[in-house]
Amino acid sequence: MFRIRFHGRGGQGMKTASRILGTAFFLEGYEVQDAPRYGAERRGAPIFAYIRADRKPINERGIIAGPDLVVVADDSLVPLPAAGVLQGIREPTVILLKSCESGATWRQRLNIKNPIVTLPETGEAEDSAELRYIGAACAGAAAGVLGIISRESLAQAIQEELGRLGEAVLAKNRANALASFDAIKKSAAVNVTEGGSIPAQPYKRPAWIDLPFEDARISAPVIHAGLTSVEVRTGLWRTMAPVIDYSLCRGCWWVCSTFCPDGVISVRDNQPVIDYDHCKGCLVCVAQCPSHAIAAVPEKEEQARKKAVAGEAS
Amino acid sequence: MSRRLLTGNGSAAWGARLARVDYIPAFPITPQTEIIETIAEWIDRGKMTGRMVTMESEHAMITAAGAASATGVRVFSATSSQGLLYAMEMIYSVAGWRTPLVLVNVSRGISAPITLEPDHNDVLAARDSGFLQIHCSTCQEVLDTTLMAYRLAEDERVRLPVIVNQDGFYLSFTREPVEIPDSRPAAEFVGDYNPENMGFRASSPSSQAVAVLGAGAYSYFRYETHLAAREALSVYEEVAREYRERFGRYHPIVETYRTEDAEYAFVMMDSFATKAKDGVDRLRESGVKIGLVRPRLLRPFPEEQLCRALAGMKGAAVIDQNLSMGKGGVLYTEIASALYGQNEAAPLLASFIGGLGGRDISAEEFYEIAATLQKAVKHNRAPRPRLLYTVEELRAMRKLQAIAHVERHGSKPGE
């Protein structure tokens, strides 16, 4: 059985990617199970989706503990513990990473020996409109790495999954997916091997424990402290950052701060200030600003700029 | 007939579409929303007839469903978890009205604390309501069962509402290959709803579910509802056989897997039961004679079928994905009540609680459950009920408690 996990951020199309690959497997005659996994849905938060594909009916269910292939659409997720990108990887697990850096660099950085294939980022950083095609590109690359899915099945799967969105969107996704498929086929010399099932003899015994009785002072689900949400840096979910150009800001100060669904724009000295620790990058403010003073900038660019500014300052 | 990848929610929507339902009162709740989104889109694009109305709450939704059903139209609705609980007053009422609507419940654990992931305490809260309950383990079963549920509900020997249960996430958002019957044979199978003497109309006043008439009348109506639910066992069997004849798939009252020569069994419901099948296959490879017994019908409760399935076995492990506070596993309790007083020697029963709030059950845990069961049989002593919970999980819990404690008291526990 092939067990494949897709990691990305809410909005990057990981559910779609898993469905494209799932349908491609299905068209190749495989039994398939695919599913997205998320909590309270939110843009930019780490999410994952998974696929199982086998020649016989699949009884296994739920999260994939030991993947054969891990596909990561956003390399900023790799160091994030909450994203669990590397969870359960085994020696032969292939990692497919959308990243400007090489597989060798990542192997060294993560101190792992796994085959790592990178899919270079292609211009999306400059054009935010391209971001939404990442999913199809990842599905295409994954199909390429697997080596058992034909170009035709991939194209057909994209047609089935995205056909209802109209010819223009379909064509763009198809082009991106097939380009990634071809690029990976040409460059990558890795082999994704199907993992087996866990034998019943011998097996690693689960470390079960008897839950001890504890009185209600301990065992009731209560946190009495306030402001706990401040501790959660939801700013890490951002893929795009709103940046205020103060030369254009007319200081009306209520429009952006009122429309911000997370209440992270405050007004100081009659000027709006964004709390980047908690701004999730929904870009509602960009759309609402009457003087178009707020731009949407890719998070990576914004971080590089801040780094440069900090460097100058020190 | 076409075979394609479909989620459990998509399968439920297809069931409603193929049953040609007339009326769908709806209220969204995760993880059920995709069902009503799908139906809304079909109605919008003219692919499905029928009328959908979004209601202000699940309480209103079930009231509307029951009232519409009483006028003699075919009704479908869907909910989950807190939504089912919010509707609970009317869940009991519409069953008392004897209105044969079909409700898909997408199982999700109950608050508090809140979760989005599945266990069965939501649907079990409706256990004693008069709604019949059918529990599904695959997306295919969700579609087939929704269709069959109309035949069962509308049969004049039964005429009771039916809940078709599927697990949130594990089925609701999971795509699997599903065979979709063609609309014509599906329509022939499900037939037209013949409401007989039910014809609630604004133009001709009548009283549905009359007022309390004293204990004698009350007892009569309540017990007749119970007898109708019992009657549903044989009616279901007829319906399931006809479904097999027409579509080639048989969904029995109690599914058994590799139980022919089995000495042991896992007993469980819903989607986690397919994981148990894998467990059975692996254990068989290592020489353990074990099988799976999975009741699909929970109400009516199939005592006879379960006793037959477990007859001659040495031990059975009942894995409950629910918890009755102060008692334990609900299915375990019910299985025990079915086995007690049988002429044949009953197998030793062991109770396990697992999968609360969607907590996974690993392959190794199935093996360990089997080992525990074998040991218990050897020593002829039932083990204490066990929650599937590991040292690592408790360690993670302790970490959270330490954080909560520090924020509350400014120090770690014990300091």
Side-chain angles (χ1 to χ4, degrees):
Chain A
M1 186 192 302
F2 285 104
R3 297 174 179 88
I4 300 160
R5 224 165 52 201
F6 281 86
H7 291 266
R9 291 178 180 277
Q12 285 180 330
M14 288 305 98
K15 177 179 169 185
T16 305
S18 72
R19 286 192 164 189
I20 291 170
L21 191 63
T23 297
F25 263 117
F26 188 60
L27 291 168
E28 293 288 345
Y30 281 79
E31 293 296 302
V32 175
Q33 183 194 84
D34 63 44
R37 199 77 174 191
Y38 31 61
E41 297 76 35
R42 54 214 179 174
R43 202 173 182 79
I47 73 137
F48 65 95
Y50 54 83
I51 302 176
R52 292 185 171 88
D54 203 350
R55 288 293 182 182
K56 44 186 200 299
I58 298 167
N59 283 325
E60 204 174 275
R61 290 194 180 282
I63 291 168
I64 287 172
D68 307 310
L69 171 64
V70 174
V71 185
V72 190
D74 190 319
D75 64 2
S76 68
L77 289 173
V78 178
L80 224 62
V85 168
L86 300 176
Q87 205 149 42
I89 59 165
R90 298 166 295 119
E91 216 163 87
T93 303
V94 175
I95 298 165
L96 174 61
L97 204 55
K98 197 152 174 55
S99 175
C100 296
E101 292 166 304
S102 72
T105 307
W106 277 104
R107 262 195 300 279
Q108 194 181 21
R109 184 177 296 159
L110 300 171
N111 195 22
I112 53 175
K113 293 198 176 72
N114 294 63
I116 300 183
V117 182
T118 54
L119 183 65
E121 298 184 1
T122 47
E124 291 100 61
E126 285 79 48
D127 183 357
S128 64
E130 295 284 305
L131 277 169
R132 61 186 141 128
Y133 300 111
I134 288 182
C138 285
V145 168
L146 284 159
I148 45 167
I149 289 168
S150 69
R151 214 169 180 274
E152 292 68 38
S153 292
L154 176 63
Q156 176 66 26
I158 290 170
Q159 171 75 39
E160 286 186 21
E161 293 304 325
L162 303 173
R164 69 198 148 79
L165 298 178
E167 189 45 47
V169 175
L170 181 65
K172 181 78 194 166
N173 276 289
R174 190 168 44 220
N176 275 19
L178 292 176
S180 303
F181 180 84
D182 294 339
I184 289 287
K185 276 245 162 187
K186 220 178 284 169
S187 66
V190 295
N191 197 10
V192 181
T193 49
E194 292 182 66
S197 44
I198 300 164
Q201 198 61 276
Y203 67 94
K204 187 170 176 279
R205 292 183 64 188
W208 282 340
I209 190 169
D210 288 323
L211 264 192
F213 164 76
E214 288 168 346
D215 76 38
R217 285 172 300 173
I218 301 271
S219 63
V222 181
I223 301 172
H224 276 296
L227 295 177
T228 50
S229 59
V230 174
E231 305 295 328
V232 184
R233 291 189 50 202
T234 46
L236 292 171
W237 301 354
R238 218 165 38 233
T239 50
M240 299 289 286
V243 177
I244 301 172
D245 181 343
Y246 288 102
S247 69
L248 294 175
C249 174
R250 293 184 198 145
C252 75
W253 65 256
W254 64 268
V255 175
C256 55
S257 64
T258 303
F259 276 95
C260 174
D262 283 306
V264 298
I265 305 181
S266 53
V267 178
R268 268 175 249 160
D269 303 328
N270 262 339
Q271 278 194 327
V273 179
I274 298 171
D275 167 11
Y276 285 104
D277 279 348
H278 299 99
C279 164
K280 296 170 187 162
C282 71
L283 307 182
V284 167
C285 55
V286 175
Q288 293 299 336
C289 175
S291 53
H292 307 293
I294 310 179
V297 180
E299 182 61 23
K300 266 185 198 154
E301 258 177 49
E302 182 57 11
Q303 276 181 14
R305 192 189 61 80
K306 278 181 186 158
K307 223 179 194 174
V309 171
E312 273 170 34
S314 65
Chain B
M1 192 173 66
S2 70
R3 189 167 188 265
R4 67 173 94 156
L5 294 176
L6 215 55
T7 59
N9 281 344
S11 303
W14 265 104
R17 175 168 160 176
L18 291 172
R20 297 172 306 139
V21 299
D22 301 301
Y23 180 63
I24 308 112
F27 192 87
I29 179 170
T30 296
Q32 156 267 31
T33 309
E34 186 191 1
I35 298 176
I36 59 172
E37 279 174 353
T38 305
I39 291 176
E41 197 192 333
W42 283 338
I43 292 176
D44 205 33
R45 286 162 48 200
K47 297 202 163 192
M48 184 173 164
T49 55
R51 181 164 195 164
M52 173 182 260
V53 178
T54 51
M55 309 301 291
E56 71 271 27
S57 74
E58 287 89 352
H59 189 277
M61 178 181 95
I62 297 298
T63 310
S69 182
T71 68
V73 301
R74 188 170 277 161
V75 178
F76 174 83
S77 193
T79 190
S80 172
S81 189
Q82 306 301 118
L84 183 68
L85 294 196
Y86 192 40
M88 198 55 75
E89 182 194 9
M90 294 314 295
I91 289 284
Y92 275 72
S93 290
V94 302
W97 298 354
R98 304 290 298 270
T99 48
L101 60 102
V102 173
L103 175 71
V104 168
N105 183 65
V106 187
S107 262
R108 164 181 154 188
I110 282 170
S111 181
I114 204 156
T115 179
L116 299 176
E117 304 229 8
D119 67 38
H120 304 139
N121 267 103
D122 60 350
V123 67
L124 288 174
R127 184 187 63 172
D128 305 332
S129 64
F131 267 72
L132 308 181
Q133 282 195 16
I134 314 180
H135 290 247
C136 302
S137 72
T138 64
C139 295
Q140 181 74 62
E141 262 186 76
V142 174
L143 189 156
D144 295 341
T145 304
T146 305
L147 261 183
M148 287 193 289
Y150 280 100
R151 281 287 300 277
L152 181 64
E154 292 170 5
D155 192 287
E156 70 271 14
R157 290 165 289 178
V158 178
R159 208 204 269 161
L160 282 170
V162 178
I163 288 176
V164 175
N165 196 65
Q166 63 161 321
D167 285 334
F169 286 83
Y170 287 80
L171 290 188
S172 72
F173 300 153
T174 300
R175 294 199 313 177
E176 297 178 338
V178 173
E179 270 184 25
I180 305 173
D182 289 333
S183 56
R184 192 189 294 258
E188 279 170 16
F189 166 77
V190 76
D192 290 326
Y193 171 31
N194 177 5
E196 309 243 352
N197 58 340
M198 290 181 82
F200 199 57
R201 293 280 182 286
S203 52
S204 60
S206 63
S207 294
Q208 185 82 28
V210 288
V212 176
L213 301 165
Y218 183 82
S219 301
Y220 171 83
F221 290 127
R222 298 292 286 171
Y223 209 78
E224 281 298 326
T225 304
H226 165 65
L227 293 176
R230 298 303 304 168
E231 197 66 20
L233 281 167
S234 58
V235 176
Y236 176 84
E237 192 56 45
E238 285 173 27
V239 172
R241 283 185 185 168
E242 191 187 325
Y243 199 86
R244 172 172 57 188
E245 271 166 37
R246 284 180 186 265
F247 303 107
R249 286 185 298 279
Y250 178 56
H251 301 294
I253 292 171
V254 174
E255 185 196 14
T256 53
Y257 180 73
R258 304 187 77 168
T259 52
E260 301 78 28
D261 62 338
E263 296 174 346
Y264 305 96
F266 296 122
V267 184
M268 58 194 303
M269 300 194 302
D270 293 274
S271 70
F272 277 46
T274 69
K275 293 155 76 87
K277 284 185 180 177
D278 263 349
V280 166
D281 287 345
R282 299 291 88 72
L283 284 159
R284 285 261 175 186
E285 282 163 15
S286 71
V288 182
K289 286 187 176 176
I290 193 162
L292 165 73
V293 174
R294 177 176 70 93
R296 274 179 28 87
L297 266 62
L298 187 79
R299 282 296 176 273
F301 190 66
E303 283 99 354
E304 260 183 60
Q305 288 82 353
L306 282 164
C307 288
R308 219 177 306 140
L310 294 169
M313 288 197 195
K314 292 179 181 169
V318 184
I319 306 169
D320 270 287
Q321 202 172 354
N322 65 74
L323 183 58
S324 173
M325 304 300 167
K327 178 66 179 89
V330 170
L331 185 61
Y332 166 76
T333 310
E334 301 222 332
I335 298 273
S337 83
L339 291 171
Y340 187 82
Q342 294 290 310
N343 289 331
E344 265 189 273
L348 179 141
L349 279 190
S351 171
F352 295 85
I353 307 287
L356 297 184
R359 190 264 194 199
D360 206 1
I361 302 178
S362 69
E364 291 90 340
E365 287 188 312
F366 281 107
Y367 309 152
E368 187 69 6
I369 289 169
T372 309
L373 187 60
Q374 285 171 279
K375 205 169 131 196
V377 166
K378 196 174 156 200
H379 297 292
N380 196 26
R381 218 168 95 188
R384 290 198 320 179
R386 167 165 290 286
L387 172 72
L388 303 186
Y389 202 80
T390 61
V391 172
E392 297 88 63
E393 285 175 292
L394 186 59
R395 199 176 297 137
M397 189 62 223
R398 289 293 184 236
K399 227 161 138 184
L400 292 174
Q401 283 175 318
I403 294 167
H405 196 87
V406 166
E407 284 181 353
R408 193 167 164 186
H409 302 289
S411 66
K412 287 184 182 151
E415 277 179 13

